[in-house]
Amino acid sequence: MSRPIRIGAVNYLNTKPLIYDLPLLAPDAELILDVPSRLADLLGDGSLDVALIPVIETFRAGSYSILPNIAIASRGPVLSVTLFSRVPWQEIRRVALDEGSRTSAVLAQILLRKRYGVRPEIQSLPMDRSADEVNADAVLLIGDRAMRACLPGFAHAHDLGQEWFDWTGLPFVYAVWAVREGAELGGVAEALNEAKRRGCARSGMIAQEEAPRLGLDAGFCRRYLSNIIHFDLGPREQAGLHRYYMLACELGLAPRGVTLPYYQDGPGSQDRALIAQTQLEG
């Protein structure tokens, strides 16, 4: 008897519209929720077939395909990726990066080194450790943890989605559905597309359900899902993804020459793959 398709996703608010009704749409699949960095590891070792992982991990793996037109992205502020800093950007000498983050950790280093010309010491911030206790000039937090954080001891709170947009004029892509090499998703691929369609149409309902769990205002959660986070992977998002990849390569944080084909069953998949490869080659 064949095993079910194993799907990995993050249990963050910004993921909920992408997995809405998924147990109903793909009842024979197994949905596993974990932090982004852990999902990347599980996909890498074959424990998952498809996962919503940090985009940097798609480049580092070099063997994944991605589902077309689905992403977690921002076109300005993101609210859920914040660098809290005690000092201005140019004075940061030590930064602690949320261990649950990989794409945003690289983004923080790109901004520090390429935009502000500083190269601070990097340390990890464990998921179970309070950011207030860290001996660092700056702390990067992501996801629901970032949206709840206040950190009054830090003078500055930099939204990295806004920082990226102000610098490049492009959207930023945080995560995509990545498919491991050799995996055949069958109906699960269509189920993920339908889950996105349903979830985006029900952002108010999702916000109302999730707000109490997060300790956040339901209206804030509704605006976050409807106006801040974007779930498409269109031409502008792809341009932002390409710029991010090239900068990561320049800093030695991603391997050069990686191709990122679209996953598609059946005829025509090669044509779509070549489009993606042309856009993302480094």
Side-chain angles (χ1 to χ4, degrees), residues 6-19:
R6 293 167 295 190
I7 307 168
V10 185
N11 196 26
Y12 291 161
L13 176 62
N14 59 21
T15 305
K16 297 301 181 178
L18 295 184
I19 57 175

Side-chain angles (χ1 to χ4, degrees), residues 86 93-96 121-125 129-139 154:
R86 306 179 196 274
R93 297 295 177 265
R94 180 183 298 149
V95 59
E121 175 188 340
I122 305 296
Q123 65 186 66
S124 178
L125 174 65
R129 186 175 180 189
S130 170
D132 297 286
E133 303 170 358
V134 174
N135 181 23
D137 299 315
V139 176
F154 291 76

